[in-house]
Amino acid sequence: MEIRFGECAIDTDARVLHRSGQPFHVSPRAFKLLEILLAARPRVVPKAELLKRLWPTTSVAEANLVNLIAEIRAALGDCPKEPRCVRTVHGYGYGFKAEVASEVPSADGEAFCWLVYNEGRVTLREGDHLVGRHPDSVVPIDSSSVSRKHARIGILGRRAILTDLGSRNGTFVSGGRVEGPVTLRDGDTIILGSLPLTFRVPALWDPTDDLDLTAARQLGRRRDDRNTPQKEVALECGKKRSVTGLLDPKH
């Protein structure tokens, strides 16, 4: 994804930041912080949340976060006294304030989809994405109704596989409890505990592509999931269909 604002552009796939057409180096953690602020805009993200997401297994001083903000501002040519991009809410946190001119797929044409939640959105790219209260969750969650490792969404090409990881309160899709695989349409709602998420896909995805059932099963059963009770949900971006032996006809 390439996001343009002012004289700057950030390519989240190539992990590079440009200003006035020139690349500017930032540390990996500063880049991740900028991504978090962009995804959450215009919400101001509390410092405690940022510290938890940037250093999930380590307790660090708040000064480390201040240093990252300074690094981002220097790369963006932003002034802390009159900020155009990153604003500070003293005693609380930071927010991204610049108007985003465009958000387009990166030059390599990589497909992606989104999860939209009440405090922002997150882009899902090729690979696996954990959702839950675990620090590695792709969405920040602090709700006792959601399990620590509630579900996993795996993106394979233009398809997404949602796997319930034996969660305590279950996973729901557009009002119905997930008891078997179901294909989602753009805009459908996923409920984890009491947390609603909206699944979105870009218009450039071809909704007529056939679902690769073998690849879907392989993606849904990767790594440590082999020993975990699971409920699999096949999410085909763009249209809803039933497939004998995989999809529950009632959906």
Side-chain angles (χ1 to χ4, degrees):
M1 172 75 79
E2 184 178 79
I3 305 172
R4 294 183 175 274
F5 50 94
E7 60 183 5
C8 301
I10 176 175
D11 189 324
T12 58
D13 300 317
R15 314 300 292 175
V16 63
L17 170 68
H18 286 86
R19 192 176 94 207
S20 300
Q22 299 298 316
F24 274 74
H25 173 75
V26 293
S27 65
R29 192 165 271 125
F31 195 95
K32 182 177 181 179
L33 173 56
L34 180 55
E35 280 188 296
I36 292 172
L37 296 179
L38 277 164
R41 69 184 191 277
R43 179 175 73 96
V44 175
V45 186
K47 294 178 183 178
E49 178 182 329
L50 292 173
L51 289 169
K52 184 176 181 179
R53 295 182 67 181
L54 293 167
W55 291 276
T57 61
T58 308
S59 179
V60 302
E62 191 177 298
N64 290 275
L65 182 59
V66 174
N67 291 338
L68 291 182
I69 291 293
E71 182 181 350
I72 291 173
R73 282 177 170 151
L76 299 180
D78 204 18
C79 175
K81 293 184 177 180
E82 297 181 4
R84 295 175 293 105
C85 298
V86 180
R87 71 187 184 102
T88 302
V89 177
H90 293 286
Y92 185 76
Y94 301 95
F96 191 85
K97 63 176 294 186
E99 181 177 353
V100 172
S102 65
E103 292 183 77
V104 297
S106 301
D108 62 4
E110 179 187 6
F112 56 86
C113 46
W114 295 283
L115 279 181
V116 181
Y117 57 106
N118 61 349
E119 296 181 340
R121 65 178 180 174
V122 62
T123 301
L124 303 178
R125 301 181 186 85
E126 191 86 9
D128 295 332
H129 306 274
L130 177 67
V131 184
R133 290 186 292 105
H134 193 278
D136 291 338
S137 173
V138 69
V139 177
I141 298 174
D142 186 17
S143 171
S144 59
S145 68
V146 178
S147 298
R148 185 171 172 80
K149 293 185 178 181
H150 197 107
R152 174 175 286 124
I153 298 177
I155 305 301
L156 182 65
R158 296 179 180 181
R159 303 167 190 94
I161 310 302
L162 172 65
T163 306
D164 184 284
L165 301 179
S167 62
R168 182 177 67 254
N169 292 320
T171 301
F172 295 77
V173 176
S174 296
R177 188 180 183 107
V178 171
E179 298 294 349
V182 60
T183 303
L184 292 187
R185 294 178 184 272
D186 175 44
D188 276 352
T189 300
I190 302 170
I191 303 291
L192 307 178
S194 61
L195 176 72
L197 305 171
T198 302
F199 182 75
R200 302 303 306 269
V201 299
L204 59 86
W205 280 22
D206 182 359
T208 64
D209 286 345
D210 290 331
L211 182 63
D212 185 336
L213 303 186
T214 300
R217 291 190 180 100
Q218 290 174 346
L219 183 58
R221 295 187 174 94
R222 281 184 187 173
R223 296 195 299 270
D224 58 324
D225 290 348
R226 296 172 183 171
N227 300 319
T228 304
Q230 300 172 353
K231 306 166 191 172
E232 293 184 358
V233 178
L235 311 181
E236 180 188 4
C237 306
K239 69 175 182 178
K240 181 177 289 184
R241 70 168 62 163
S242 294
V243 180
T244 303
L246 177 67
L247 301 183
D248 187 342
K250 70 182 179 180
H251 292 290

